[in-house]
Amino acid sequence: MSQTVTLTIDGRQVQAEAGTTLLEAARSVNIQIPHLCSNEELAPYGACRMCMVEIRQGQRTRLVASCIYEVEEGLEVQTVTERVLNVRRLVIELLLARNPTHPTLLKMAADLGIEKTRFEVEVKGCILCGLCVRTCREVVGVSAIGFEGRGTSRRVTTPFNEAPPDCIACGACATVCPVGVIPLKDKAGIRTIWKTDYPLQRCESCGRIIAPVKQLEYFAKITNQPLSHFTEHCVHCR
Amino acid sequence: MKKIKSAAELNALQEELNARLDPNKPCIAICCGTGCMAHGTRNLVERFQQELADRQLTEKISLRRTGCHGFCERGPMVVLHPQKIFYQRIKVDDVPEIIDKTILGEEIIDRLLYRDPVTKEKVVHEYEVPFYKKQMRLVFGMNGMIEPTRIEDYLAIGGYGALAKVLTQGDPQAVIDDISAAGLRGRGGGGFPTGRKWNATRKAEGSPKYVICNADEGDPGAYMDRSLLEGNPHSVLEGMIIGAYAIGSSHGYIYVRNEYPLAVENITLAIDKAREMGLLGQDILGSGFDFDIVINRGGGAFVCGESSALFASIEGRAGEPRAKYVHATDKGLYDKPTCLNNVETWANVPLIINKGAQWYAGIGTEHSKGTKIFSLVGKINNTGLVEVPMGITLREIVFEIGGGIPKGRKFKAVQTGGPSGGCIPEAHLDIPVDFDELSKLGTMMGSGGMIVMDERNCMVDVAKYFLKFLEEESCGKCTPCREGIYQMRKILDRITNGEGKLEDLDTLEWMGQAIKDGSLCALGGSAPNPVLTTLRYFRSEYEAHIIDKKCPAGVCKALITYGIDPDKCTGCHACARVCPTGAATGEKKEVHQIDQEKCIKCGACYEACKFDAITIV
Ligand SMILES: Cc1cc2nc3c(=O)[nH]c(=O)nc-3n(C[C@H](O)[C@H](O)[C@H](O)COP(=O)(O)O)c2cc1C
Ligand code: SF4
Ligand code: SF4
Ligand code: FES
């Protein structure tokens, strides 16, 4: 029962299905809006504020996060205005103060004409986009990690700062992190993540490493299959 | 008390209770609001009870433990009815004398009277006290007439009559039209038209629908919502029940801050009593309308007052704002149509129903109707809660009701709207209190905090103080608010340390606008206001810190030196006595001095000197 909506983005007529976000609608006509915390696999979050755009409502205009705001019939959207650019410049400079070296951030800054931040740098690495926490909860389905603290004390952590009981060591958080600050190491049959060691399972047929034992156990549980189903063969020798 | 089964039964009960009120019977109304309780009112109540019992007067003289009267500055206080004699700063040992001389002997005790600091005259009656004279205490004034724990008291003065009226008329849409015609706007901050919000919730599809009272009040120094819940909980309940009826909701919540134990206690009791009497629960007053209320105790984060964070908190999730572009009236609590209103907004509802939309719309300015309760604090003679008609000027509030600035110092600014409101200078004191006028000045009505500052407040320091509060209360979810407020505060730190640069001021202005534009919720969306308004109205003070490396108000420690004016020093030795490091020294009756090496700039000598001899440069 999908309905098509027509709107204008940067003066171009765009058609999109109702329920599409402005970010997606823009992308469909090759208008790129910089963004950091949105991901197609995850529910809208709207925290980095990089993706702001300006929309017109009657006489007034206002800024909205394009990763959340949905298309509306006749809506006029501007993705590059002075107000929008000011927010993006501020956001990227603020994030560079936490992470002054990551190429993704430096590239975004350069696109906005910024070389380095004017703010005092306190390297924290993590830019608090929440992709890891949300991937763990929404895609993996375990919520092994979460946020702790308010304001600038906010950080990603495991419950009570200890070995996370629900973690299956899948490493999705480390993979999704746009600035690569979650340490993950595979060495000598052991995966180390969130300061905890997890044995890796080898394929019983060909001996290649498949995945952490805990992850396979989790798969076995949610699919209601015996563990052996996942360990007897791997993708390479099946 | 037994269940009331119809509006007619309620009216009969109200009349019966009202008839029992003897207007000539002496009554001692003791303020038991939070402010007065802190001043030791509990002992006072006990002493009154004791003394009345000893004299076998408990039948002849009644004692009423009321909620806050507003004039907290002067507590503990009593009002003696029927004459309305006002005694303030009472001590336990004054009690026998009050009973014997004033109540039995009709003699006024001069030392307990309030003295008008302007005319220097003693004032006998409550209604003559300048603090009360210019107020219009429509919502808050009832506090003095009832005991909050006694539903009978509320019923006796006509309580729940508005509810009976709307249930009898049986037209929910007409109730909404009344609220709209009255022009009521939300008292919780945004000033959104209440009627429109109710209508949207009524029209929204989905069930159940929720009605919520926001009592998260967390602004530093603000306590009007708390005092309403403590002092007159039934007025809030009555407003909610009427609203729920109009909207078509059976489920209500009161989200109240856990740090308000008395408010929680009184509202819990009020709900129990109302339910017992058939004013809440199923088939209210025999009308077939069902509605009940659950209390939700908030953990006390400031941001939990924001609507989406409040919903998350009630749902048991982290109290964090959610980015979305749908209205709560469509998708609020549990994604169902929800009407969230502030405590004071709800308390205005019975008043409008009772006295009529026309009457209500006659009070205030074109777009701001009715009264507003402010918590008046800071450098002001009469600290307390004041309820004023919209349209009154800030000058009237500060100088007439508030009695001006203590110690004859000069007024400098008044901050309205809570921590993220703006600071208004003397030049704009004559604007009327009105939602739109205040926002034109870069500030807001907010929930009603009003902090007065005098010449000894440094506006850069003030801006830093509010920013620090907001920095700590930012939930940390979105970048502009979390990092932006922090970096703005760091810049202010540098300026107050004498390390500021002139371009910092442009950076602050630029950041302020971008943070307002970019933040996810209204906390970040308004957080820069204290900085932006002080930059707008007190820019030269910022410049003095940066260019001259001076703090004109003598506050910023890094930029001041304490000295002693030899012409004024009498050698009283007060400074030397309080100086913690021995920097202030001198022989008695001779001019003293301050050793700059030892001085830690704590300001103790400045406060201690009675001769204004301590200088700050
Ligand atoms: C950070 C923040 C804190 C808030 N705190 C409160 C509060 O304590 N009480 C309140 O009534 N409204 C508060 N609000 C405003 C509410 O979100 C909401 O607008 C209000 O409760 C609506 O009621 P009203 O229309 O009756 O004013 C706050 C808003 C923000 C952004
Ligand atoms: S660790 Fe990476 S993915 Fe997780 S919040 Fe920080 S930057 Fe985002
Ligand atoms: S504006 Fe501040 S309080 Fe609101 S969501 Fe962003 S970080 Fe949290
Ligand atoms: S991508 Fe939209 S707010 Fe982060």
Side-chain angles (χ1 to χ4, degrees), chain A residues 23 34-38 45-52 65-68:
Chain A
L23 183 67
H35 57 95
L36 278 164
C37 73
S38 109
Y45 188 59
C48 74
R49 316 308 277 176
M50 207 47 202
C51 71
M52 302 302 281
S66 64
C67 67
I68 296 185

Side-chain angles (χ1 to χ4, degrees), chain A:
Chain A
M1 243 206 9
S2 71
Q3 205 188 329
T4 305
V5 170
T6 309
L7 67 159
T8 29
I9 304 181
D10 294 344
R12 281 162 67 182
Q13 280 225 340
V14 181
Q15 297 210 319
E17 260 177 42
T20 314
T21 63
L22 298 182
L23 183 67
E24 291 164 331
R27 189 187 293 141
S28 74
V29 291
N30 244 327
I31 296 175
Q32 303 300 341
I33 302 172
H35 57 95
L36 278 164
C37 73
S38 109
N39 179 305
E40 281 157 39
E41 304 297 321
L42 301 172
Y45 188 59
C48 74
R49 316 308 277 176
M50 207 47 202
C51 71
M52 302 302 281
V53 296
E54 194 160 343
I55 60 169
R56 171 170 296 283
Q57 281 173 326
Q59 286 302 308
R60 298 187 22 211
T61 64
R62 74 168 169 141
L63 298 200
V64 297
S66 64
C67 67
I68 296 185
Y69 203 96
E70 291 175 9
V71 293
E72 281 166 14
E73 187 61 44
L75 190 71
E76 269 179 58
V77 184
Q78 295 289 339
T79 70
V80 188
T81 68
E82 207 41 39
R83 259 173 100 194
V84 162
L85 289 176
N86 277 333
V87 174
R88 287 190 199 148
R89 288 181 191 124
L90 176 72
V91 166
I92 199 69
E93 283 200 49
L94 290 171
L95 292 178
L96 283 174
R98 294 180 68 99
N99 184 333
T101 49
H102 197 276
T104 305
L105 300 180
L106 288 171
K107 166 81 173 52
M108 267 188 189
D111 289 347
L112 290 159
I114 291 165
E115 257 176 62
K116 63 189 217 350
T117 177
R118 75 188 85 176
F119 301 121
E120 201 176 302
V121 173
E122 278 170 62
V123 178
K124 296 200 169 123
C126 169
I127 56 166
L128 293 169
C129 67
L131 282 169
C132 54
V133 173
R134 291 179 292 136
T135 299
C136 184
R137 183 176 57 222
E138 296 174 29
V139 179
V140 183
V142 297
S143 289
I145 50 174
F147 287 115
E148 177 195 84
R150 278 209 296 251
T152 46
S153 322
R154 186 173 172 99
R155 61 193 195 103
V156 175
T157 178
T158 57
F160 307 108
N161 246 326
E162 289 166 8
D166 295 330
C167 179
I168 58 166
C170 69
C173 52
T175 312
V176 79
C177 177
V179 288
V181 294
I182 300 178
L184 179 148
K185 197 177 68 185
D186 286 350
K187 199 179 158 196
I190 300 287
R191 168 168 294 180
T192 310
I193 188 161
W194 296 108
K195 294 188 198 134
T196 313
D197 291 341
Y198 298 89
L200 293 163
Q201 176 72 47
R202 284 185 186 278
C203 174
E204 283 160 12
S205 311
C206 72
R208 283 193 181 90
I209 283 177
I210 309 175
V213 177
K214 251 192 117 181
Q215 183 177 4
L216 296 177
E217 285 169 355
Y218 177 72
F219 284 174
K221 195 178 109 203
I222 58 172
T223 55
N224 221 350
Q225 306 247 28
L227 182 61
S228 56
H229 179 83
F230 297 94
T231 56
E232 280 166 1
H233 300 282
C234 68
V235 279
H236 301 283
C237 60
R238 186 165 284 151

Side-chain angles (χ1 to χ4, degrees), chain B residues 537-560:
Chain B
Y537 300 120
F538 300 94
R539 198 177 183 97
S540 62
E541 206 166 331
Y542 280 84
E543 288 166 353
H545 285 73
I546 296 171
I547 303 170
D548 314 330
K549 309 285 177 215
K550 288 266 180 283
C551 173
V555 172
C556 299
K557 300 287 176 221
L559 303 181
I560 55 174

